[in-house]
Amino acid sequence: MSTVPVNDNRLAVLDHSRLRAKAGKSGDERGRISVRDVDIVFDTASGPHVAVQNASLTVRPGEFVCLLGPSGCGKSTLMNAIAGFVAPTRGEVTVDGYAVTEPGPDRGMVFQQHSLFPWKSVKENVAFGPLMAGVGQNEANSVARTFLSLVGLAAFENAYPNTLSGGMQQRVGIARALANYPSVLLMDEPFGALDAQTRIMMQENLLDIWREFHNTVVFVTHDIDEAVFLSDRIVVMSASPGRIIADIDVDLPRPREQSLLTSPDFMALKRQCLDLIRKETLNAFQRQNKAG
Amino acid sequence: MDSTSNAVMRTTEPVAEAPANPASDHVAPKEPTPALPMARQKADNESRLPTRIWLKNTGVRYVTRILALVTAVALWQVASTNGFHFYINFDNIPAPSVVGTALVAELAGHEFYLHILHSLERIAIAYALAVVLGVLLGVAMGSSRWAEDIILPYIELLRPIPGVAWIPLAILMLPTEQSSIIFITFLGALFPVVINTVHGVEQSNSVLIRAARSLGASKKAILWHVVLPGAMPSIVTGLAIGMGVAWFSLLAGEIISGQYGIGYYTWNSYTLIQYPQIIIGMFTIGGLGTLCTLLIRQACNPLLKWQAKGGRS
Ligand SMILES: Nc1ncnc2c1ncn2[C@@H]1O[C@H](COP(=O)(O)OP(=O)(O)O)[C@@H](O)[C@H]1O
Ligand SMILES: [Mg+2]
């Protein structure tokens, strides 16, 4: 798996030991995200709509951070600002010191669903990023194969996405995002459309993959269990306007296993998040009632 | 032609929605039961139907259809040989047997093939021009508001004008009869291609475009890898409809001017009182139009193979 022809350092495909060594060195770490005093305001028919208010957040290289909050609280919007799809109205977003102005292959995106190119085979989907980066077709194909084996879908390289289940499609989506060796992986409710069993499998899968790469992950979810199970840190957001209301360290041991879900530490963290979100939801209700 | 252009829009709808089709399985796709095995199962069941039941269902229906046609031909034969005349006049209509005999004679000569070749040549030139220009204009209009605002007024103004109505002007404007006929044919094919291309390009999937951008794709790459393939089902519909309208317009042009061509042949047979040839001409036109549309669809199939459920390359 680690014997793919290389003529570009960026595509030093999955030499795991080297990647780990690299992640261990602090000098050339990549994937530091800094969000400073960011407001994001949308112009809507009914006037300006504040989707994100005064958000500040720093994510360290190699950290797995979940953005947690009720739907509509601005998680996707904040993530889109990091991805470069939405420009902050105020404040600044930088990745590795550079201001984010547009999307780029250094920030891989995984969407909730239906984001694979349906007219491209699974292999062509994953090879797309390397091709766009300017490597040859042969090399792009071998990178694609490597990443498909990483997500366990090597046998499906010639299948079209619409012949795969939702979970398999998401695995291809992850492989496609990783094939560019992004320093940051941005995932917007990537398992939100999957059934519970598949979701748990995918979470474990993702952690396995992340252990190999150890790149920075920002993972949006409204599922508290998912956030606690996956992350090093949970950033909790509240609704209307979207603000960051808590930043919780998740000091649970890794590798994480299913047994963790019933451990007292897990429960305590889950309760902490639940309380925060319930309080916010109640506040939101009261505000709505007063307004109404 | 007005009704034809309406048909253009209507026929577009179902096929144009096809790109969104993969999205239609967002009924919580479950890992162990992908949609594929179900589709397969259904196909298998159908092919495993015992022959007797197949005959009863499908066979009987085909026999009914053939019988319906045979009945019509028999009635026609009776009406023609007996000179049926009650509002509709069969006095001058040759019987199927007479038409058959004339057809055998035509097929033995070479004049008939010459007419067909001339029509095919005009179709080929006019259609090729219409496809190239139509797709280019359609993509420009679909991807740039500026281009759309410049081009759309022309399209909306000219589209409702039937091909036949262009004939006098075409003869005045263009140097030869041949070029007039090709021009009219070209116009007929152009509008369905443009409109369906615009339609396809405009409904390109924004999630896929965002995915492509985050994978480092340039604007050109997005057009080539995301927008065009997504618009392809709609473009193919436009190409097929365009082929139909091209024949429709070609015939109009050939009937009024020209010295060769299957439309000329049909109309000329009328003026020469060669009535069996009229009917031969009519069925030849219908047959060639259908054949060409079928060929276009077949030729485009590889571009759409990803749509087939269970399609593996
Ligand atoms: N492009 C947009 N234009 C206007 N309003 C938007 C836009 N995108 C998001 N919003 C609004 O911003 C708020 C936050 O949306 P979003 O970030 O998608 O929430 P979440 O991902 O947490 O569910 C919502 O009220 C949504 O309606
Ligand atoms: Mg969202």
Side-chain angles (χ1 to χ4, degrees):
Chain A
M1 199 198 282
S2 52
T3 56
V4 169
V6 175
N7 51 31
D8 173 359
N9 256 346
R10 209 178 57 81
L11 292 170
V13 170
L14 280 195
D15 189 339
H16 297 175
S17 55
R18 267 181 55 195
L19 267 168
R20 273 205 210 93
K22 208 175 157 192
K25 271 189 282 171
S26 56
D28 60 343
E29 279 180 341
R30 299 193 306 150
R32 180 180 300 278
I33 303 170
S34 159
V35 175
R36 271 193 300 270
D37 310 322
V38 162
D39 288 354
I40 298 172
V41 184
F42 290 114
D43 284 322
T44 62
S46 53
H49 174 84
V50 182
V52 175
Q53 190 176 59
N54 205 21
S56 290
L57 172 70
T58 303
V59 183
R60 288 182 294 276
E63 204 170 19
F64 197 126
V65 173
C66 278
L67 282 183
L68 178 69
S71 65
C73 73
K75 306 181 294 294
S76 296
T77 306
L78 183 56
M79 169 170 285
N80 283 335
I82 301 171
F85 291 120
V86 174
T89 316
R90 184 180 73 91
E92 193 189 29
V93 178
T94 62
V95 172
D96 293 328
Y98 294 101
V100 170
T101 54
E102 56 177 6
D106 60 320
R107 282 150 291 142
M109 284 286 288
V110 180
F111 301 86
Q112 184 168 18
Q113 58 179 352
H114 305 310
S115 74
L116 299 177
F117 307 120
W119 39 84
K120 289 186 186 294
S121 70
V122 162
K123 183 180 68 197
E124 288 166 340
N125 264 279
V126 181
F128 185 71
L131 267 183
M132 292 299 113
V135 315
Q137 182 72 58
N138 285 342
E139 200 172 323
N141 282 346
S142 60
V143 174
R145 288 208 183 87
T146 306
F147 279 90
L148 282 173
S149 1
L150 183 74
V151 297
L153 290 176
F156 292 87
E157 61 169 51
N158 290 324
Y160 281 101
N162 68 357
T163 66
L164 304 182
S165 68
M168 289 157 94
Q169 291 183 17
Q170 287 310 87
R171 269 144 71 190
V172 178
I174 293 170
R176 183 177 68 173
L178 288 174
N180 271 335
Y181 286 87
S183 50
V184 174
L185 192 59
L186 302 172
M187 311 182 82
D188 193 348
E189 309 205 28
F191 309 145
L194 306 177
D195 59 275
Q197 281 82 0
T198 309
R199 191 181 317 151
I200 290 169
M201 238 180 54
M202 294 288 291
Q203 289 165 358
E204 289 179 326
N205 250 316
L206 175 64
L207 287 182
D208 286 344
I209 293 167
W210 177 65
R211 219 172 33 232
E212 306 286 351
F213 284 85
H214 231 282
N215 48 2
T216 309
V217 178
V218 179
F219 187 108
V220 164
T221 181
H222 60 252
D223 180 336
I224 296 175
D225 280 28
E226 185 168 67
V228 178
F229 182 71
L230 290 174
S231 61
D232 294 326
R233 239 171 96 199
I234 300 174
V235 173
V236 185
M237 290 184 71
S238 77
S240 50
R243 285 161 303 132
I244 294 175
I245 53 165
D247 194 328
I248 302 166
D249 279 321
V250 181
D251 279 326
L252 298 172
R254 291 189 190 272
R256 307 238 169 115
E257 274 144 21
Q258 286 300 304
S259 55
L260 192 69
L261 293 173
T262 47
S263 76
D265 288 346
F266 186 94
M267 292 300 190
L269 280 161
K270 191 174 159 180
R271 174 159 305 274
Q272 196 182 346
C273 295
L274 260 173
D275 287 346
L276 274 165
I277 286 179
R278 185 160 52 217
K279 212 163 69 194
E280 277 308 316
T281 317
L282 281 176
N283 284 346
F285 270 138
Q286 274 162 9
R287 272 198 304 273
Q288 273 166 14
N289 288 344
K290 262 184 221 151
Chain B
M1 165 104 171
D2 209 27
S3 63
T4 327
S5 12
N6 284 341
V8 171
M9 297 311 290
R10 230 174 289 123
T11 332
T12 312
E13 295 310 326
V15 183
E17 273 168 32
N21 202 21
S24 68
D25 67 355
H26 62 165
V27 198
K30 288 190 186 96
E31 187 83 343
T33 49
L36 165 65
M38 284 178 61
R40 277 221 182 116
Q41 230 170 41
K42 202 179 155 208
D44 283 357
N45 283 346
E46 266 165 27
S47 62
R48 268 196 227 115
L49 277 179
T51 323
R52 208 144 38 99
I53 298 180
W54 182 89
L55 267 180
K56 213 171 174 186
N57 294 336
T58 321
V60 164
R61 298 197 60 190
Y62 276 105
V63 168
T64 312
R65 288 169 200 198
I66 290 166
L67 276 180
L69 281 182
V70 168
T71 311
V73 173
L75 284 176
W76 171 14
Q77 178 81 34
V78 170
S80 293
T81 45
N82 296 314
F84 176 86
H85 188 173
F86 180 74
Y87 192 73
I88 298 173
N89 187 359
F90 272 80
D91 274 339
N92 289 318
I93 306 301
S97 53
V98 180
V99 175
T101 318
L103 178 64
V104 171
E106 290 286 16
L107 290 178
H110 76 276
E111 188 88 353
F112 182 61
Y113 299 105
L114 223 53
H115 286 295
I116 291 180
L117 278 179
H118 271 81
S119 287
L120 287 178
E121 184 197 6
R122 288 171 184 144
I123 285 282
I125 297 171
Y127 187 71
L129 286 173
V131 167
V132 172
L133 192 70
V135 171
L136 283 179
L137 285 180
V139 169
M141 289 167 69
S143 43
S144 147
R145 194 174 299 176
W146 189 73
E148 180 161 21
D149 287 342
I150 289 178
I151 304 167
L152 195 65
Y154 292 95
I155 305 269
E156 288 304 324
L157 193 74
L158 300 181
R159 192 165 64 96
I161 301 173
V164 198
W166 277 97
I167 290 171
L169 203 64
I171 292 171
L172 289 176
M173 279 196 312
L174 293 163
T176 59
E177 261 179 2
Q178 175 77 347
S179 53
S180 309
I181 298 174
I182 289 178
F183 174 70
I184 292 161
T185 310
F186 158 81
L187 274 186
L190 180 68
F191 295 118
V193 175
V194 171
I195 285 162
N196 282 282
T197 305
V198 174
H199 188 75
V201 170
E202 276 182 347
Q203 54 167 14
S204 47
N205 184 331
S206 64
V207 175
L208 297 185
I209 292 177
R210 292 205 304 157
R213 289 181 69 197
S214 79
L215 290 165
S218 64
K219 278 207 165 121
K220 208 176 95 188
I222 289 173
L223 182 68
W224 187 250
H225 289 278
V226 183
V227 174
L228 273 182
M232 203 43 80
S234 183
I235 294 177
V236 169
T237 302
L239 294 185
I241 297 169
M243 182 52 94
V245 184
W247 275 96
F248 182 90
S249 311
L250 173 83
L251 267 296
E254 283 184 345
I255 280 176
I256 286 158
S257 61
Q259 279 160 9
Y260 273 107
I262 199 70
Y264 168 81
Y265 168 90
T266 306
W267 188 248
N268 198 42
S269 303
Y270 173 72
T271 50
L272 295 180
I273 331 183
Q274 295 171 338
Y275 294 149
Q277 275 74 1
I278 298 179
I279 292 162
I280 294 175
M282 285 169 61
F283 279 107
T284 309
I285 291 162
L288 286 176
T290 308
L291 196 71
C292 288
T293 308
L294 219 65
L295 282 177
I296 291 297
R297 286 224 178 259
Q298 283 299 317
C300 293
N301 259 350
L303 294 172
L304 300 179
K305 65 171 193 266
W306 55 271
Q307 280 192 319
K309 278 272 174 196
R312 308 230 162 149
S313 65

